[in-house]
Amino acid sequence: MAVRQLAAAALGRTREARMNGEYGVMVGASVSMADMSMYTHLSGQLERLCEVVGFDDADGRHLGLLRGLLGAQGERSLATPSEFPSNVADDTTPVEFSLAFDTTGECVVRVLGETVGSRSPREFLDEVAGEYGLVTDRLDAVADLFLPHEERQGPFTLWYSLIFRPGRAPKIKVYLNPQISGPSMADSLVSEGLRRLNIDEAFDSMIEHALRRGERDNFSFFALDLDDDPLARVKVYVSHEAAESADVEFAAELVAGTDPLLIREFLAVLGGGKGPFEARPLVSSYSFVEGSGARPANYSVYLPIRSYVPDDEVARARAHAVLAQYGFDGTKLDKALAAVSQRPLSAGVGLIAHVSLRMGEFGSGITVYLSSEAYQVLPARKRPVLGPVS
């Protein structure tokens, strides 16, 4: 079935479910949740998130894409443990949401997801490429490096980002795994991937700025925008184990227009200090666009805030402080949280999973990443009287 047909059918079912009261109780009400399919739960969350940023009710493309992404696994009951656990989210849900605030005033909803249990990692992509005019040339150029065969390993093979802006066609990005052939091969795969995409000059500069600490710095994602926009990106992500603020400040120096003081403040407010961040690692990303050469156009730093707060009430307060610093409307975050969950924020940790700061030539802003908590709400930790939470 074409995605537009899926979208129309999905929109009708979602509205019917809303009228029948199926979305009246969300995460935290296990009796209602047990009767839901994965798709019913996630589509309700996604529709409410899109309403937060001003989507037209008649546009059901986001729901059709979500249904296609989930595939047959989307019809499974949430009462049944996942047949194919995913590493997208801590509770094995194959989807994570995010709300991106941009200094242009734009606010974007994104879905990071994985098609689990499919015959091929590219099955979803092949189904939607023609309808959405996706340009797969760059993916095709590196596919033999990153897509799996029997000798390859790692926590994932191919993830998708579905990007939704009000009044505009959805866009899609793919994430590949540099460690698919093992950690020792990651540098070689990234280097060759960049060479094939004609940005091989970037590799040495990334090594110099972001991978200076031996085994504690590692390539973690290799991502591609699937469109022909002049600003379509190649993004390379680096994980920094036990890093301090100074480490990512130095990584950011590769990109013109970054400010180390803003990174230091971002980590201090959200993470409680300058490090070392010894729980889940900080992550850097570099965005390369056509003509950017060895110097990336943008830099982002990602803090897995769920590892550095006792609960989501504290995470929300810290996220609000950062949003206010950049002049963003914190009430949108509150509406987004309400769209995803109605549980007390103090009752768990991980609903707010990450927060990122992006800076550079082609846009700056803050992104807040939200867990679906379809299978589990992770318990809150005890709030300390003094000192940071680790």
Side-chain angles (χ1 to χ4, degrees):
M1 185 184 295
V3 172
R4 293 190 190 278
Q5 291 174 288
L6 282 172
L11 184 59
R13 280 190 288 270
T14 302
R15 286 175 175 162
E16 181 181 359
R18 180 189 288 172
M19 291 174 67
N20 291 338
E22 292 179 29
Y23 297 150
V25 182
M26 292 180 275
V27 172
S30 57
V31 174
S32 178
M33 289 281 290
D35 296 331
M36 286 188 183
S37 69
M38 172 70 72
Y39 172 75
T40 300
H41 175 61
L42 294 175
S43 64
Q45 292 175 314
L46 177 57
E47 186 171 32
R48 292 187 294 270
L49 278 171
C50 287
E51 289 173 356
V52 169
V53 301
F55 260 62
D56 182 348
D57 271 353
D59 187 348
R61 289 176 294 183
H62 53 300
L63 299 178
L65 282 169
L66 177 65
R67 181 178 285 279
L69 175 67
L70 294 173
Q73 295 300 309
E75 303 307 317
R76 288 176 61 89
S77 168
L78 289 176
T80 306
S82 175
E83 185 178 3
F84 301 98
S86 172
N87 285 291
V88 168
D90 293 340
D91 71 338
T92 75
T93 304
V95 159
E96 178 185 74
F97 302 108
S98 61
L99 192 66
F101 298 82
D102 196 275
T103 51
T104 62
E106 186 177 52
C107 199
V108 179
V109 171
R110 298 186 299 207
V111 175
L112 175 67
E114 179 178 23
T115 301
V116 295
S118 61
R119 296 185 300 273
S120 161
R122 287 187 63 156
E123 183 175 345
F124 168 68
L125 177 60
D126 293 339
E127 289 174 355
V128 303
E131 185 165 359
Y132 283 90
L134 303 183
V135 178
T136 64
D137 294 359
R138 292 187 296 183
L139 174 60
D140 297 336
V142 300
D144 65 297
L145 299 174
F146 295 104
L147 293 186
H149 57 62
E150 62 276 5
E151 296 177 0
R152 291 183 171 163
Q153 55 190 287
F156 77 99
T157 54
L158 183 65
W159 288 355
Y160 296 91
S161 178
L162 311 179
I163 304 164
F164 303 117
R165 294 176 170 89
R168 294 164 65 179
K171 290 192 173 185
I172 296 179
K173 178 170 72 174
V174 292
Y175 291 82
L176 302 165
N177 183 3
Q179 303 200 32
I180 192 72
S181 294
S184 65
M185 291 295 295
D187 289 13
S188 297
L189 291 185
V190 171
S191 177
E192 176 61 14
L194 293 173
R195 186 193 68 79
R196 294 186 187 184
L197 299 175
N198 299 315
I199 47 177
D200 49 308
E201 297 174 354
F203 182 77
D204 288 343
S205 57
M206 283 193 295
I207 293 291
E208 179 184 347
H209 282 81
L211 292 103
R212 303 176 302 126
R213 303 180 308 133
E215 294 183 354
R216 293 182 295 170
D217 297 319
N218 294 280
F219 288 114
S220 47
F221 301 100
F222 191 97
L224 304 166
D225 287 340
L226 300 182
D227 58 68
D228 58 1
D229 189 295
L231 299 183
R233 301 160 300 170
V234 175
K235 291 189 72 173
V236 181
Y237 296 73
V238 179
S239 295
H240 306 286
E241 299 285 348
E244 300 200 18
S245 179
D247 297 312
V248 292
E249 290 169 36
F250 187 77
E253 287 182 7
L254 182 57
V255 178
T258 58
D259 185 336
L261 179 59
L262 293 180
I263 293 173
R264 202 173 311 150
E265 290 177 344
F266 174 82
L267 295 177
V269 172
L270 291 172
K274 63 179 183 180
F277 294 93
E278 295 180 317
R280 289 182 176 88
L282 301 179
V283 175
S284 292
S285 75
Y286 296 110
S287 296
F288 299 90
V289 299
E290 186 176 345
S292 62
R295 288 183 72 93
N298 271 64
Y299 172 82
S300 295
V301 59
Y302 304 77
L303 175 81
I305 190 171
R306 67 195 188 280
S307 293
Y308 299 98
V309 294
D311 57 62
D312 285 303
E313 188 172 55
V314 175
R316 173 197 169 275
R318 293 185 183 183
H320 259 260
V322 167
L323 290 172
Q325 181 181 359
Y326 289 87
F328 295 127
D329 182 3
T331 63
K332 280 191 176 177
L333 173 59
D334 291 339
K335 290 176 181 177
L337 290 169
V340 174
S341 175
Q342 289 184 338
R343 69 163 172 83
L345 294 178
S346 60
V349 65
L351 178 62
I352 303 176
H354 320 265
V355 184
S356 69
L357 169 66
R358 64 186 181 281
M359 297 178 286
E361 184 179 354
F362 296 108
S364 299
I366 300 288
T367 301
V368 183
Y369 299 79
L370 305 176
S371 299
S372 169
E373 298 186 327
Y375 285 115
Q376 183 184 9
V377 175
L378 299 180
R381 295 183 284 268
K382 184 178 179 181
R383 296 186 184 185
V385 176
L386 296 173
V389 176
S390 62

